[in-house]
Amino acid sequence: MVDVPSLPQRQRLLLAELSGVARRYGTDGMRDAPREAAVAAVRAVTDDPVLLGVQAGVALVDPHGIHGPTVALLQAAGADMTVAEQHAAEVRERLSRVL
């Protein structure tokens, strides 16, 4: 789940939905679906490059690289990768304070 309290509730809800779709098509049961279908499923949730970038940033934090396909999918769907890198840095910072 993506926690971005600075975003309006509607965008946070879209991120929650996007998280599920990206996981399903990136690493879970639909990972073998054609790329066009996966990108279309992601864009059906949102085509906002910032929201796609935030979700890609979460996937970038994965220390084992398992979510690489999810990052690639979100990038293909139009994620702003500058936003992704910035959000990944924020998530890493928060995690370092907890651990």
Side-chain angles (χ1 to χ4, degrees), residues 24-77:
R24 192 166 34 258
Y25 282 90
T27 59
D28 288 351
M30 297 296 293
R31 70 180 171 268
D32 294 328
R35 176 60 98 199
E36 303 81 36
V39 168
V42 167
R43 288 186 179 153
V45 175
T46 185
D47 61 359
D48 181 326
V50 172
L51 293 179
L52 294 167
V54 168
Q55 187 62 48
V58 172
L60 283 172
V61 175
D62 168 29
H64 304 291
I66 295 168
H67 294 286
T70 301
V71 174
L73 170 59
L74 292 164
Q75 187 171 16

Side-chain angles (χ1 to χ4, degrees), residues 4-29:
V4 186
S6 62
L7 291 177
Q9 182 179 3
R10 174 72 182 133
Q11 288 181 318
R12 291 192 316 261
L13 291 171
L14 283 173
L15 280 174
E17 185 178 354
L18 180 59
S19 174
V21 171
R23 183 182 62 250
R24 192 166 34 258
Y25 282 90
T27 59
D28 288 351

